[in-house]
Amino acid sequence: MNRIVLLFLFFMAFVSLDYYVFQAVRVLIQGQQTWWRLTVIVLYWSFTLLSILGLLVWGRLDTFELAIYRNFIATGIVMNVVAKVLAGLVVFYDDLIRFGKYVYRGLVSNGAVTQAAEGISRSEFLAKSAVIAGAIPVAMMSYGILSGAYDYRVRRRTIRMANLPRAFDGIKIAQLSDIHSGSFYNKTAVQGGVDLMMKEKPDLFLFTGDLVNNEAREVKEYMDIFSKVKAPLGQYSVLGNHDYGDYKQWSSQQAKQKNLEDLVQSNKNMGWDILRNEHRYVEVEGERLALLGVENWGMRGFAKYGDLSRTHQHVEADIKVLLSHDPSHWDAQVRPQFSDIDLTLSGHTHGFQFGVEIGNFRWSPSQYMYKQWADLYHEGGQYLYVNRGFGFLGYPGRIGILPEITILELKRG
C-alpha cells in the first residue's frame, strides 16, 4: 500500500471523526444567533483543514531550517487528533444511550415516549462533556508551549559523603542536561535560563549530554550564550544519544563522522572539556576529586558507545563523580561493577516532558520505562541524580515536568 493510499485513508478517517464529533458541537449551537453559529463552524473546520494542509506539506518541511515549524505542525495535528478522539468517545457513549432508549421503547414500552426530565437533557449534557473532553488536551498542550517550555526551575539537593575531602566540603555543582538546541525558538528565554544558573555561582559545571537533536550546526546560534557558562573549577561535558547523529539519514558515513567531530569541537569552543571515555581530576588545596565521563550507554535499544572500564581505569581519588547520559546505565553497570563511583549524573528521560510534581509526589509516564527518571536516588552508598532536562524534544513544551537547572552541594558526613 503506497503513501498516497495511506494518506487518503487517514484523511477519510480523520474527516469522518471530525464530522462525528461535530454532532455534539451542533447540539450546543442550535438556537444561537446566526453569526455565532457560523463563527463556531468556521473555527471548528479550520482546525481540520489546517491539519490536512500540514500533512500535505509535511515532506517539504524536512529541512534543517524548517525543523522548528515541522515540530509545531506535528504538535498541532496531535492536539487535534487527541481532542477529537476524546470527544468522539463521549459522543459514542451518548449514542449508546440513545440506542438503548430506542431498543427499550421498541421492545418494552411499545413505542411510548416518556416525559422528558426537567432541566438539561442528557444529550445536551453529554454534548457539553464531549466538547470539554476535547478542549482539555488542547488547553494543556497549548499552556505547555506558552508557559512550560522555558519555565526554568532551580532544583537544589545536598549530598552527604563520609569520604569527601575537606577541601571539597560545600562544593556547589551545577548540572545541565538535554539542551537540544535545535528545538529552541526563543533565544532570549534560553539566555534567561543560563543567567539564572550563573546567579547560583557554581564552583563546577557539568553537562550530561544531548546538546543537539541531530546536527552540530543546531548549537551555532546559541554558542555565545553557553560560552558564558563559567565555573572556577571548570566546565565539563559528555555526549548523549542524540549527539552522534544516529537519528538522521546522512549522505555518507564520513558526513556523519564529520558532524560528530564538529559537535565535539563546539563543546571545546564553548570552553567545555568534553570527556569521551576518560577522566579528569579537579584539585583543591592538594586534594582531588575525579570526574569520569563516559560516552552514551543505554538500555532498551539505545546506543552503547560507552566504555566504563576504560573510563575508570587508573582513577585514584577519594571521590569519583561519573557523567553518564542515560540513567539506565546506573543499575546495569555502575552499581554492580563499580561500587567506588560515589555519584552518577544523568539526564536523558526529560521526565517525558509531562507529569505531575506536587511536594514529594512525582508521577510521569517516564517511570514506566525508567526506574530512575528524575531527581536524587541513593542505594548502597552510591548516588544518582537524573536531571529533567534544560530543553525539549518533539513537543515544543512541557506540562508539569518543567525544565531544570540542578544545583548539588556536596557535604562531609
Side-chain angles (χ1 to χ4, degrees), residues 163-175:
N163 56 331
L164 185 70
R166 292 188 181 278
F168 290 96
D169 188 16
I171 183 176
K172 190 184 291 186
I173 299 174
Q175 179 199 6

Side-chain angles (χ1 to χ4, degrees), residues 144 149 178 180 183 348-355 364-366 373 388-389 391-402:
D178 300 270
H180 289 285
S183 296
H348 181 62
T349 72
H350 300 207
F352 273 35
Q353 297 170 212
F354 174 80
S364 165
S366 181
W373 62 275
R388 295 162 179 80
F392 44 85
L393 181 67
Y395 168 57
R398 285 174 175 264
I399 303 171
I401 307 297
L402 299 174

